[in-house]
Amino acid sequence: MSETDIVILGGGHNGLVCAFYLARAGLKVSVLERRGVVGGAAVTETVHPGFRNSTASYTVSLLNPKIIADLELARHGLRVVERRMSNFLPLPDGRYLAAGEGRTAGEVAKFSQRDAERLPEYEARLEAVAAVLRALVLEIPPNLPEGGLMAAIPEMLKSASVARRLGGLDLTARRDVLDLFTKSAGDWLDGWFESDPIKALFGFDSVVGNYASPYTPGSAYVLLHHVFGEVNGRKGVWGHAIGGMGAITQAMAAACAEQGVEVRLDTAVASVLTEKGRAVGAVTEAGEVIRARAVVSNLHPRLLFDRLVDPAVVPEDFRERMSRYASGSGTFRMNVALSELPDFTALPGVGDHQTAGVIIAPSLAYMDRAHAEARLNGWSSEPIVEMLIPSTLDDSLAPQGQHVASLFCQHVSPDLADEDRETVADLMIETVDRAAPGFKASVLGRLALGPRDLERRFGLVGGDIFHGRLTLDQLFSARPVLGHADHRMPVPGLYLCGSGSHPGGGVTGAPGHNAARVVLKDLRRR
């Protein structure tokens, strides 16, 4: 048996961020990580001899600037570079849409002058909503605790603060908030634009990690969730971490080490230790007992309560609702080693478009069919693929003259059978090959991960990259369950710091930051 102040379950990026802030406050912190590498789903691993890439999460934008500054991640080796073009959408008819600073309006005008003229207003109105919500990312949502007036007053004050922020919006922006939280991305975009390529470009964000059609109500919020970010102070920009996503979590681990955090790898947790209904530590699968003043979980909330917490200490209503907590993604993740760069029919030769997010999904209707077919048959015969080639910006990932690519693919069933994995992987390669003939022949090796693989390897239940769907009933004060949006779980002494808590998924660090504030507040009270 050993003792510490705080034991953190899971060494993903949110667990590391939480550990840093708690240790900086003078607490003794131990992080227990099941795998032999720190970082959770934000890791860089070998995908083929001589080729390294980000295994799961693969691009940077949502990582919060305050967290970057507080942990001094640049000093610990993190460098993020911007794409030279934001997105590239090759079309079946041989045309293309290229998006990025100074490019997008002119490109959209190739398809619709009206859409090009509407683009600035669209971007301004979307940013007006995103700016308010961005300001709430590092805030703990108003909670609805049990108890009397004294328990409710602090939460009422938080609600008033949120109301003031929203009250600062004009009526148009308030209406946009309502639309973006309730409508489908398809309905939202159809109200703005007439041409398919620009709607496909923006609509892709609504199906990323989301097992849904762009015409599913609520998918407009998923679109909004992906525009919160920034790179190097530039809002809405996406980039690459030099060295892959593992460079982020390795820098976080270095910051934690400076604060004296103990990170223990290959240490799987068997259960949360409870006494008299309170969490007082963790028991490892090796049988070691680690006692602590507080237990903080970076795990998916379903994993935490299904596998690690004694059901006898969890209120029945919470257990029932957690069993129905929606988690499942249509994501199929691939990494491929390439002998050469893809050469696109729509834009032949070497260029900035090869540094972009290459989206193979020409219309919202195409995405809608992909989702419908996946629900019917297990996967779509015409899938949605985003491809990034980070080695165009980072030559440390592949041998000279060769490349590595990330393929983030939708839609497959969250229950896709293991025996279908290679069939689907072949389909994804062939889908890219249709846009860039010769791509298939250039593949030297590949790593394919279906939803079940993502669950086994990274604890993403149903392959859900967000630790639970970003639907209105699982957001803000209702994440993960109404009454526990403040990171305090229904077992005293147990906290949630992962993406299953506000503000949700993505490599943000925000849940870890916010959870640390709550833990520190409670320990000071005690």
Side-chain angles (χ1 to χ4, degrees):
M1 186 174 70
S2 59
E3 293 189 1
T4 187
D5 289 321
I6 310 291
V7 62
I8 294 181
L9 314 182
H13 78 282
N14 279 310
L16 295 172
V17 169
C18 188
F20 170 84
Y21 284 109
L22 293 172
R24 192 176 70 169
L27 296 172
K28 182 180 179 183
V29 182
S30 295
V31 177
L32 310 182
E33 170 54 46
R34 173 179 58 89
R35 301 184 72 216
V37 59
V38 75
V43 288
T44 304
E45 297 174 307
T46 297
V47 298
H48 184 71
F51 295 80
R52 299 182 309 125
N53 201 15
S54 306
T55 311
S57 58
Y58 62 101
T59 187
V60 186
S61 180
L62 301 177
L63 185 59
N64 191 271
K66 180 179 186 297
I67 291 165
I68 294 172
D70 287 351
L71 275 67
E72 298 182 86
L73 296 183
R75 182 170 66 81
H76 291 294
L78 178 63
R79 184 162 71 93
V80 179
V81 295
E82 299 173 25
R83 304 173 186 173
R84 292 196 288 270
M85 180 187 292
S86 296
N87 291 103
F88 174 64
L89 187 80
L91 300 171
D93 64 4
R95 296 184 296 171
Y96 67 86
L97 174 66
E101 187 175 11
R103 303 178 191 260
T104 310
E107 289 285 315
V108 172
K110 296 189 305 187
F111 303 93
S112 167
Q113 183 61 41
R114 174 184 176 274
D115 286 355
E117 291 168 359
R118 297 213 71 189
L119 192 62
E121 184 184 358
Y122 172 84
E123 292 175 339
R125 281 173 54 178
L126 193 64
E127 173 56 26
V129 177
V132 172
L133 298 182
R134 192 181 290 124
L136 297 175
V137 162
L138 295 184
E139 298 292 333
I140 296 156
N143 202 30
L144 294 176
E146 292 190 26
L149 181 62
M150 293 307 294
I153 287 175
E155 306 309 320
M156 292 166 63
L157 293 175
K158 283 186 195 174
S159 297
S161 175
V162 173
R164 281 196 298 273
R165 291 184 187 276
L166 294 175
L169 298 173
D170 62 24
L171 184 57
T172 297
R174 293 180 206 176
R175 288 168 175 162
D176 287 342
V177 169
L178 179 62
D179 286 347
L180 286 162
F181 271 86
T182 59
K183 282 187 173 182
S184 74
D187 287 340
W188 166 256
L189 292 167
D190 285 342
W192 276 98
F193 304 113
E194 62 184 7
S195 60
D196 284 336
I198 189 61
K199 289 191 283 187
L201 181 75
F202 292 144
F204 171 75
D205 281 342
S206 73
V207 300
V208 169
N210 185 23
Y211 190 43
S213 160
Y215 286 100
T216 300
S219 58
Y221 174 78
V222 184
L223 181 158
L224 177 65
H225 188 84
H226 284 92
V227 303
F228 284 178
E230 60 184 79
V231 168
N232 301 330
R234 288 162 44 80
K235 291 182 173 59
V237 172
W238 290 81
H240 292 282
I242 298 298
M245 296 298 283
I248 296 174
T249 47
Q250 288 299 316
M252 289 176 172
C256 286
E258 276 193 352
Q259 298 298 328
V261 174
E262 176 192 36
V263 177
R264 297 174 57 177
L265 303 178
D266 298 307
T267 306
V269 175
S271 64
V272 172
L273 181 65
T274 57
E275 293 177 356
K276 298 179 180 178
R278 182 177 189 87
V280 295
V283 182
T284 71
E285 288 188 353
E288 181 183 0
V289 175
I290 304 167
R291 297 186 66 88
R293 297 168 64 191
V295 179
V296 185
S297 174
N298 187 36
L299 308 182
H300 189 294
R302 282 256 299 272
L303 289 181
L304 175 64
F305 288 99
D306 286 353
R307 302 185 188 180
L308 302 186
V309 180
D310 181 358
V313 302
V314 182
E316 182 179 355
D317 183 65
F318 182 92
R319 278 192 284 115
E320 180 186 338
R321 292 178 187 279
M322 187 51 61
S323 71
R324 299 198 303 268
Y325 181 75
S327 182
S329 172
T331 294
F332 191 92
R333 181 72 174 87
M334 291 184 68
N335 287 290
V336 293
L338 302 173
S339 61
E340 60 185 8
L341 280 172
D343 193 21
F344 293 92
T345 302
L347 186 57
V350 177
D352 289 351
H353 61 294
Q354 291 161 324
T355 74
V358 180
I359 299 171
I360 301 175
S363 67
L364 296 179
Y366 178 102
M367 299 180 199
D368 184 46
R369 290 193 301 271
H371 175 249
E373 189 177 358
R375 291 183 65 89
L376 185 65
N377 300 325
W379 65 86
S380 171
S381 60
E382 293 188 307
I384 302 162
V385 178
E386 182 187 33
M387 179 171 69
L388 282 83
I389 313 169
S391 51
T392 57
L393 298 169
D394 179 3
D395 60 10
S396 73
L397 299 176
Q400 186 174 5
Q402 298 179 313
H403 291 274
V404 66
S406 300
L407 274 63
F408 195 62
C409 314
Q410 329 283 323
H411 280 299
V412 303
S413 166
D415 298 318
L416 181 76
D418 290 346
E419 55 264 31
D420 293 324
R421 182 193 304 110
E422 296 310 314
T423 299
V424 174
D426 288 341
L427 172 63
M428 300 305 178
I429 296 291
E430 289 160 4
T431 299
V432 178
D433 193 76
R434 286 197 293 271
F439 176 78
K440 182 177 179 179
S442 74
V443 175
L444 302 173
R446 72 190 192 192
L447 171 67
L449 300 172
R452 288 181 172 179
D453 299 303
L454 294 170
E455 179 167 343
R456 285 188 290 256
R457 186 177 289 210
F458 300 114
L460 304 176
V461 175
D464 196 318
I465 64 172
F466 299 127
H467 281 207
R469 294 182 186 170
L470 299 178
T471 48
L472 193 56
D473 61 327
Q474 294 185 178
L475 286 172
F476 203 52
S477 293
R479 191 166 186 91
V481 173
L482 199 66
H484 296 283
D486 59 359
H487 303 275
R488 299 177 179 97
M489 295 296 97
V491 180
L494 179 63
Y495 302 82
L496 188 66
C497 75
S499 294
S501 54
H502 173 73
V507 181
T508 70
H513 168 280
N514 298 347
R517 286 174 52 200
V518 174
V519 174
L520 289 171
K521 183 177 181 180
D522 288 356
L523 291 183
R524 290 184 186 117
R525 283 176 177 169
R526 290 177 61 197

